[in-house]
Amino acid sequence: MIKLNKEIMKGSIILILAFGIFNFFYFLFQFFMARMLTLAEYGVLSALFSILYITQILSESVQTVITKYSSGENSLGKLKNIFRKSLRKTSRISSYLFIGYLFLAIPLSIVLKIPYLLVSLTGLVIFTAFFIPIGRGLMQGTKKFSALGSNIIVEAVSRLVIGVALVYLGWKVYGAIIGVIIAGFLAFFFSFFQLRKINKSQEESAPTLGIYSYAKPTFIITAIVIIFYTLDVIVAKIVFPPEIAGSYAIASILGKIIFWGTLPISKAMFPISAETPVKKEESGGIFGNSILILFIGIIAALAAFYLFPDLIIKIFSGKTIPEAENILFLVGIAFSITAVTNLSLLYKLSLGKFKNYYYLPIFILIEAILLFWFSSNVFEFSIAFITSSAIFLWGSNILIKG
């Protein structure tokens, strides 16, 4: 019998509502993009968003580390110290990475058949990918879930309003990307207001012993999960004609809603399970509560995908797209499995159990091979995605035993 954990339930409910609002506005953003852009243009935007998702490796890694080291910390002065030191370090690192990305954008623009200026412009998100998670990590670590939720809502609303306005003015894909960049900086500056009590406090030196050794597995595990759930659209853009790639992108973005929609559960779980000391039976209860809530969300989403695929695609894109309708449920299964894998990995990471994490890149290689090999049509492609997702779930739990 799983004993309900009130903190997880409360945190999950708050973040599910906040992420629900965030996903609603993100859905509206994609909704308007799918209707205002051609299928080929939307395919380009989806490929660029896959690059944006990969920058979340930086964002999620930083946020996870900050959450871990601020969990259970009651001193505002020490929290301020963590905040200031993190900003200094990430400012320098993000500048170097952006310069490196400008060179990487050259072959990317050739392979993806996207103008270099557009690909390089997307790289500005590297700065917000480093800056935003510092404040959000402090909010998550101190379990200020309402503040965390309002911050992501500010980003989502800003992205929708600015992005749609610029696309409407004729800026097309450029307008959508600029909207994303501006919204990110607005969310970052808003975090200063939300953390004003911390910033006004007298700074104290905060012990961060072992932060770099913890950051390494955090970065690798986060990277593997994010690359895994973004690689499908990139490969589809390479192997399929523009119209077919655009059709797959429609199904994929809807399937990702399952992953994003259940992400608040792991966000609420992490700081609670990261606090020490945690008894073994309490630890198991925390994970049990989280997986139970996760399965409820997954079942509801998959039921909708199975029963109403044509209606969902029609509402989202404003078009009848048989290729997307036929695979929506399959893509949903793949992202559901990935959501379970992510929860399991984050739980182990919160407890400091990440033995053999360096083997995880194997699953990216397996996914890439399967997707490229089985790319005769989108149905076969989707089955390959499910297969690779199942292998990732099984293999990661076998390898990372703690």
Side-chain angles (χ1 to χ4, degrees):
M1 180 71 69
I2 297 175
K3 184 179 179 180
L4 293 180
N5 183 295
K6 291 183 179 179
E7 279 193 301
I8 284 192
M9 293 298 293
K10 180 182 177 181
S12 294
I13 290 171
I14 292 173
L15 290 182
I16 284 173
L17 289 173
F19 272 78
I21 296 171
F22 173 86
N23 286 327
F24 172 71
F25 281 103
Y26 182 75
F27 176 87
L28 284 180
F29 178 85
Q30 295 289 347
F31 172 84
F32 282 111
M33 295 303 108
R35 287 170 174 260
M36 297 171 75
L37 301 172
T38 65
L39 266 181
E41 289 171 340
Y42 188 77
V44 169
L45 181 63
S46 296
L48 291 173
F49 260 79
S50 293
I51 296 174
L52 295 180
Y53 300 148
I54 291 174
T55 65
Q56 286 180 359
I57 295 169
L58 309 173
S59 184
E60 289 295 325
S61 299
V62 172
Q63 185 167 332
T64 300
V65 172
I66 299 297
T67 299
K68 174 71 174 179
Y69 279 83
S70 60
S71 294
E73 180 57 70
N74 297 317
S75 170
L76 295 180
K78 291 181 179 179
L79 291 173
K80 180 179 181 178
N81 184 246
I82 293 173
F83 185 57
R84 286 170 59 85
K85 285 195 299 187
S86 300
L87 277 179
R88 285 197 301 268
K89 291 181 183 297
T90 55
S91 295
R92 184 170 61 254
I93 295 171
S94 57
S95 297
Y96 293 148
L97 284 178
F98 178 68
I99 293 172
Y101 174 82
L102 292 178
F103 290 99
L104 180 62
I106 297 173
L108 274 177
S109 65
I110 297 172
V111 172
L112 297 175
K113 302 180 183 69
I114 300 174
Y116 173 78
L117 179 60
L118 188 53
V119 178
S120 58
L121 178 67
T122 305
L124 288 173
V125 177
I126 289 173
F127 292 101
T128 57
F130 269 113
F131 297 158
I132 293 176
I134 296 173
R136 289 181 180 174
L138 287 174
M139 297 174 205
Q140 186 181 350
T142 54
K143 290 178 279 191
K144 298 184 184 301
F145 297 128
S146 296
L148 175 59
S150 61
N151 189 271
I152 65 173
I153 290 172
V154 165
E155 182 183 4
V157 173
S158 302
R159 177 172 52 203
L160 172 66
V161 174
I162 298 170
V164 170
L166 292 177
V167 173
Y168 178 76
L169 291 174
W171 291 31
K172 297 185 178 180
V173 181
Y174 283 92
I177 295 299
I178 292 172
V180 171
I181 295 167
I182 294 176
F185 279 105
L186 287 176
F188 169 61
F189 292 127
F190 182 55
S191 68
F192 279 88
F193 170 77
Q194 293 177 294
L195 299 170
R196 59 191 180 281
K197 287 185 178 180
I198 292 176
N199 289 319
K200 288 180 180 179
S201 65
Q202 182 66 38
E203 187 173 351
E204 301 175 45
S205 180
T208 53
L209 183 65
I211 191 169
Y212 292 110
S213 60
Y214 184 79
K216 183 179 178 182
T218 299
F219 178 82
I220 291 177
I221 290 173
T222 303
I224 297 306
V225 172
I226 292 177
I227 293 173
F228 191 91
Y229 80 71
T230 58
L231 190 61
D232 65 318
V233 171
I234 294 176
V235 175
K237 183 72 171 63
I238 294 172
V239 301
F240 295 128
E243 295 289 323
I244 299 298
S247 298
Y248 179 82
I250 295 286
S252 182
I253 201 68
L254 288 167
K256 283 183 175 70
I257 290 175
I258 295 179
F259 184 92
W260 294 325
T262 56
L263 196 58
I265 301 166
S266 61
K267 295 283 187 186
M269 174 199 71
F270 192 93
I272 297 171
S273 59
E275 285 183 347
T276 55
V278 179
K279 296 178 182 178
K280 187 174 181 180
E281 57 270 21
E282 291 177 347
S283 175
I286 290 170
F287 183 72
N289 276 261
S290 302
I291 202 73
L292 176 62
I293 301 170
L294 180 72
F295 277 131
I296 292 172
I298 286 174
I299 291 170
L302 287 180
F305 284 1
Y306 182 79
L307 295 172
F308 313 109
D310 51 345
L311 180 62
I312 293 172
I313 296 294
K314 180 71 174 179
I315 292 175
F316 178 70
S317 66
K319 310 175 184 73
T320 299
I321 310 175
E323 293 88 354
E325 295 169 11
N326 293 337
I327 62 171
L328 181 59
F329 180 67
L330 298 176
V331 173
I333 291 175
F335 283 113
S336 298
I337 297 172
T338 307
V340 175
T341 306
N342 181 60
L343 181 70
S344 176
L345 289 172
L346 280 177
Y347 174 67
K348 292 173 182 177
L349 193 59
S350 71
L351 300 178
K353 298 179 178 180
F354 37 75
K355 183 180 178 182
N356 298 327
Y357 67 90
Y358 41 81
Y359 287 121
L360 291 178
I362 293 172
F363 301 109
I364 298 296
L365 180 61
I366 292 172
E367 180 190 22
I369 291 172
L370 288 175
L371 291 179
F372 274 108
W373 190 268
F374 296 99
S375 57
S376 298
N377 54 69
V378 289
F379 182 85
E380 183 181 274
F381 190 83
S382 302
I383 295 297
F385 190 22
I386 292 176
T387 304
S388 58
S389 300
I391 293 172
F392 186 25
L393 174 60
W394 172 79
S396 61
N397 279 286
I398 292 296
L399 286 174
I400 304 183
K401 297 179 180 180

